[in-house]
Amino acid sequence: MLQDWKNYQPLLIPNIPNLHRMDVYEKNGGYEQLKKVLTDSEYSPEKVTNIVKDANIRGRGGAGFSAGLKWSFMPKPDGGPRYIAANGDESEPGTFKDRQIFEYNPHLFIEGAIIAGYAMSITAVYVYIRGEYRDWINMMQKAVDDAYAKGYLGKNILGTDFSIDMYVHSGAGAYICGEESSLMESLEGKRGYPRVKPPFPAQKGLWGRPTTINNIETLANVPLVIKNGSAWYKAIGAETHPGPVLYGISGHINKPGIYEYPTGMLVSDLINEVCGGVRGGKKVKALIPGGSSTPPLRGDQLEGVRMDADSLRTAGSMMGTAGMLILDEDTDMVDFLWRVSLFYHHESCGQCTPCRDGTGFLEKTLIKIKNGEGEMRDLDLLLDLCTQMEGRTICALADAAAWPVRYTVTRFREDFEKRVKNTVYALA
Amino acid sequence: MSTTYTFSKEDLAEIEKIKAKYPDKKSPVMPVLWLAQDKFGHVNDDVQKLVAETLDLPPAHVFGVATFYTQYYKKEMGKFVIDVCTSFSCQACGAYDILHYIEDQLGIKAGETTADGKFSIQSVECLGACGYAPMLQITNGVYCNHLTKEKVDVILDKLKKDEMPAFERIPFPQHTTAKS
Ligand SMILES: Cc1cc2nc3c(=O)[nH]c(=O)nc-3n(C[C@H](O)[C@H](O)[C@H](O)COP(=O)(O)O)c2cc1C
Ligand code: SF4
Ligand code: FES
């Protein structure tokens, strides 16, 4: 398994030319799992949910929550509409994986979403894709049209009494719409203000009806599990966080890009073996393992660290979206952190005071430090601001804004101390 | 002189199709704003009013939505809007140098439009192409990746001749290196 990663053959984006085409996908076993689930009486909706739960597919959108467990929260069908909102907002800096599925294997996702729909008695799937992905939205729409034409979507699929619709919805430039309740507001044609929870989406989601939100990559894993079983899936990668994953690797690296490998890959293998090392043979100064909100790790903290939830938690960070940013020894962490704080300030929806004002203060303070006008006490101010933001808001954006600040300032303090004025205050 | 904006019969037919995808009348606002922006190049106050009338919604609601989302152009923009990503992966790979180079070439700053109305420049957040940094997007459309000054020159030359650069399919690295 893990030691065999060099012979790993991608499953989500296999090496098959033109797999995005319906005929090629079908020729390679596509939609067979949907057929199996819909026509084999052994596969009741409960059984499908249980297989996915047992496989322990953990959400690839950032939080790593068990997909099957989430599905099991859906209430019993009452004859009214029920929805899946498939999250392709993909706006967390460092993340560029779901678009590979839209481009290279859209039908795997569609098949997975329909199977999930069957498991939860869903009537319609809304695929929310960030508006900037215009070209990928068109690719996805084409794949959805093809699936309708073949009778995999629509009324009475494959002659059964199961019917489901799928609609592609374009965002229009708002990171916050990746947050699940904001995404639902956006789908309902409103400003993307996150909702207060409870009620949770399974009770009261889209248009007040039961809804499950899953990431695109999460749903693309479903046909693999149905085909090969949960035991097979659990044997891939890390024990507590199994399966294939699309690692998005960017920054000061020789061969950046998206790579599919099992979870639990050694960070050092990904950097050195897969991506050909750091540019110019330099040392790693920092790794941001899973998108801008995951705490940066120092280069000297990476030994033995693996890309799975447990290993990264022990190391002091999180798996997030597996969008890994590698920064070399010449990077100025003050500049880096200022740019991250600008992002969160720009993207705060402004509903909660700690977030609206906090992200603004963080950015302002970092500009001051960046311009050489900061003082030593501003570093404590930054940490203080983080404490005032964490866990006090409607959604997790405020936490996502605070974590990189907290851990960049504490783990790379020397960069900050170098930039601030050494004002000495007399004790009163 | 103010322009009057109207939807054609074909547009209205398209709008009916959009409405059929959603269970209530508020929800189609975003796709209809997109349709309007594709047609008129922007969604200024007058276009927003047209969208509100067409969908039978209060203008204040459409205004609220249009202003929340950055991709809707609330005023007229240059014919080509150059969005340079300066978020952290791109920043690390020299995005600000690219941004400043484009600013110098066009003689305007980010947030501005050239006097001839041909180009606008914006510095934007992560566009989901971090491994192909630095990069830019043209008018909510095509992505141009792996930018160098030379590549920027080629892109700007094309745009000056009203030619849109082509979609770049970036091969999946494991596919090109896979052993048979
Ligand atoms: C501010 C914020 C932004 C988010 N952006 C995304 C996103 O772009 N894509 C995504 O799949 N999940 C995003 N999430 C997580 C979603 O809220 C949700 O947990 C996820 O889509 C659930 O799918 P999963 O369980 O399959 O991962 C975001 C969360 C927050 C708080
Ligand atoms: S935490 Fe920030 S982004 Fe989330 S709802 Fe509050 S203000 Fe909006
Ligand atoms: S940081 Fe520029 S595309 Fe993601």
Side-chain angles (χ1 to χ4, degrees):
Chain A
M1 288 175 307
L2 275 182
Q3 49 276 31
D4 269 356
W5 65 265
K6 282 185 183 162
N7 293 315
Y8 176 81
Q9 295 298 323
L11 300 159
L12 296 168
I13 318 248
N15 189 5
I16 300 169
N18 297 317
L19 191 55
H20 64 282
R21 277 180 13 208
M22 175 62 87
D23 58 326
V24 180
Y25 185 71
E26 284 183 325
K27 232 181 255 152
N28 286 277
Y31 291 103
E32 288 298 327
Q33 303 318 310
L34 178 65
K35 277 180 204 153
K36 182 166 94 186
V37 161
L38 289 187
T39 55
D40 184 338
S41 58
E42 199 199 313
Y43 288 90
S44 65
E46 296 72 31
K47 169 147 178 174
V48 174
T49 302
N50 282 332
I51 296 172
V52 171
K53 199 156 129 188
D54 186 49
N56 194 19
I57 305 178
R58 296 180 59 171
R60 304 294 198 244
F65 194 80
S66 157
L69 191 58
K70 192 188 283 188
W71 298 2
S72 71
F73 297 155
M74 287 288 273
K76 287 224 152 29
D78 60 3
R82 295 151 70 89
Y83 302 108
I84 289 176
N87 194 341
D89 192 53
E90 186 144 276
S91 305
E92 169 104 352
T95 311
F96 54 111
K97 63 187 185 69
D98 294 333
R99 60 176 267 201
Q100 317 291 336
I101 296 173
F102 302 142
E103 186 169 341
Y104 287 101
N105 205 359
H107 289 291
L108 184 70
F109 156 74
I110 296 175
E111 187 175 3
I114 304 171
I115 295 172
Y118 169 75
M120 292 180 277
S121 306
I122 297 298
T123 51
V125 181
Y126 285 86
V127 187
Y128 191 104
I129 306 179
R130 64 177 302 176
E132 291 86 348
Y133 280 177
R134 174 68 68 103
D135 284 321
W136 291 271
I137 290 171
N138 293 340
M139 292 176 206
M140 206 46 224
Q141 185 63 57
K142 166 87 173 69
V144 169
D145 293 346
D146 291 349
Y148 267 107
K150 278 278 181 172
Y152 297 128
L153 285 167
K155 288 236 160 346
N156 300 105
I157 294 165
L158 302 168
T160 66
D161 56 12
F162 179 64
S163 304
I164 194 167
D165 281 306
M166 184 177 284
Y167 305 112
V168 179
H169 180 102
S170 168
Y175 164 68
I176 190 59
C177 290
E179 194 278 336
E180 56 184 33
S181 62
S182 165
L183 184 146
M184 294 192 292
E185 289 288 300
S186 184
L187 272 171
E188 292 180 9
K190 302 182 219 153
R191 309 172 73 123
Y193 288 135
R195 299 176 183 170
V196 180
K197 281 157 266 187
F200 292 98
Q203 269 66 52
K204 210 164 173 276
L206 274 172
W207 300 288
R209 300 289 308 165
T211 302
T212 290
I213 297 100
N214 270 132
N215 173 258
I216 301 294
E217 187 186 348
T218 310
L219 291 169
N221 274 272
V222 171
L224 305 177
V225 168
I226 299 301
K227 178 173 180 203
N228 302 294
S230 51
W232 168 88
Y233 188 84
K234 278 193 285 192
I236 301 172
E239 207 180 318
T240 56
H241 193 165
V245 70
L246 297 174
Y247 295 101
I249 309 182
S250 67
H252 300 137
I253 195 91
N254 279 318
K255 291 188 279 175
I258 293 281
Y259 296 88
E260 181 188 327
Y261 282 107
T263 54
M265 285 280 285
L266 277 172
V267 167
S268 55
D269 280 346
L270 284 168
I271 294 177
N272 298 316
E273 309 265 337
V274 173
C275 290
V278 177
R279 282 187 198 165
K282 291 185 180 153
K283 286 207 214 65
V284 179
K285 177 162 186 168
L287 165 74
I288 293 82
S292 56
S293 49
T294 57
L297 295 167
R298 291 175 65 101
D300 58 19
Q301 282 181 298
L302 298 178
E303 209 184 297
V305 174
R306 293 181 180 276
M307 288 297 291
D308 63 74
D310 286 347
S311 183
L312 284 164
R313 191 181 321 108
T314 310
S317 191
M318 291 178 287
M319 178 84 164
T321 62
M324 305 164 67
L325 171 64
I326 284 114
L327 297 172
D328 73 18
E329 55 192 290
D330 298 335
T331 309
D332 183 335
M333 295 306 281
V334 176
D335 281 355
F336 157 81
L337 188 59
W338 157 72
R339 190 62 189 75
V340 172
S341 72
L342 167 64
F343 170 77
Y344 287 104
H345 184 202
H346 183 250
E347 301 298 337
S348 167
C349 85
Q351 279 192 106
C352 323
T353 312
C355 176
R356 184 187 56 234
D357 292 356
T359 52
F361 276 129
L362 289 176
E363 196 212 338
K364 242 201 272 172
T365 311
L366 283 158
I367 291 178
K368 199 171 134 193
I369 297 173
K370 181 165 111 84
N371 292 341
E373 288 149 16
E375 298 173 36
M376 205 58 102
R377 61 176 178 182
D378 287 327
L379 304 186
D380 297 326
L381 175 69
L382 285 173
L383 298 178
D384 224 43
L385 281 166
C386 292
T387 309
Q388 290 176 46
M389 290 167 70
E390 287 159 350
R392 288 163 197 254
T393 52
I394 294 175
C395 89
L397 184 137
D399 306 84
W403 293 326
V405 173
R406 174 177 297 289
Y407 293 101
T408 307
V409 171
T410 49
R411 290 179 184 157
F412 301 88
R413 197 170 169 102
E414 62 282 5
D415 280 29
F416 291 82
E417 292 189 349
K418 257 189 267 165
R419 288 284 269 274
V420 297
K421 288 189 270 193
N422 227 337
T423 325
V424 178
Y425 295 94
L427 290 174
Chain B
M1 229 178 54
S2 75
T3 327
T4 27
Y5 297 97
T6 49
F7 285 131
S8 68
K9 250 202 338 275
E10 293 74 36
D11 298 333
L12 292 172
E14 191 57 38
I15 290 170
E16 285 309 309
K17 275 198 227 154
I18 293 172
K19 282 157 81 174
K21 296 181 182 178
Y22 301 90
D24 74 352
K25 88 179 200 193
K26 234 183 214 169
S27 305
V29 174
M30 289 185 71
V32 174
L33 279 169
W34 270 122
L35 183 144
Q37 178 153 307
D38 286 346
K39 183 182 171 89
F40 305 117
H42 58 84
V43 289
N44 68 6
D45 287 356
D46 292 335
V47 177
Q48 289 169 34
K49 257 182 236 145
L50 172 69
V51 169
E53 273 164 31
T54 311
L55 293 176
D56 188 24
L57 292 171
H61 179 75
V62 176
F63 174 78
V65 173
T67 50
F68 186 83
Y69 297 94
T70 54
Q71 282 190 285
Y72 295 129
Y73 302 145
K74 272 71 70 180
K75 58 178 179 34
E76 287 179 47
M77 301 287 279
K79 175 163 187 196
F80 299 111
V81 181
I82 301 186
D83 286 341
V84 182
C85 172
T86 54
S87 254
F88 70 1
S89 302
C90 288
Q91 175 199 28
C93 296
Y96 279 99
D97 291 341
I98 293 291
L99 174 67
H100 297 144
Y101 182 72
I102 297 172
E103 289 175 334
D104 289 346
Q105 294 305 302
L106 297 179
I108 51 169
K109 294 270 171 229
E112 295 173 355
T113 300
T114 53
D116 63 0
K118 186 115 187 187
F119 292 101
S120 302
I121 310 175
Q122 304 189 115
S123 164
V124 301
E125 294 300 344
C126 178
L127 290 168
C130 324
Y132 322 126
M135 59 79 63
L136 60 79
Q137 175 173 34
I138 303 167
T139 322
N140 294 324
V142 73
Y143 278 28
C144 302
N145 311 284
H146 299 122
L147 294 177
T148 58
K149 287 180 185 171
E150 293 71 36
K151 187 162 175 186
V152 167
D153 288 341
V154 173
I155 294 166
L156 292 181
D157 279 346
K158 269 197 171 131
L159 293 178
K160 280 176 191 157
K161 289 185 261 170
D162 286 336
E163 285 169 32
M164 196 53 100
F167 176 79
E168 296 172 7
R169 185 175 286 274
I170 297 177
F172 202 65
Q174 276 160 300
H175 293 184
T176 50
T177 58
K179 297 166 215 101
S180 54

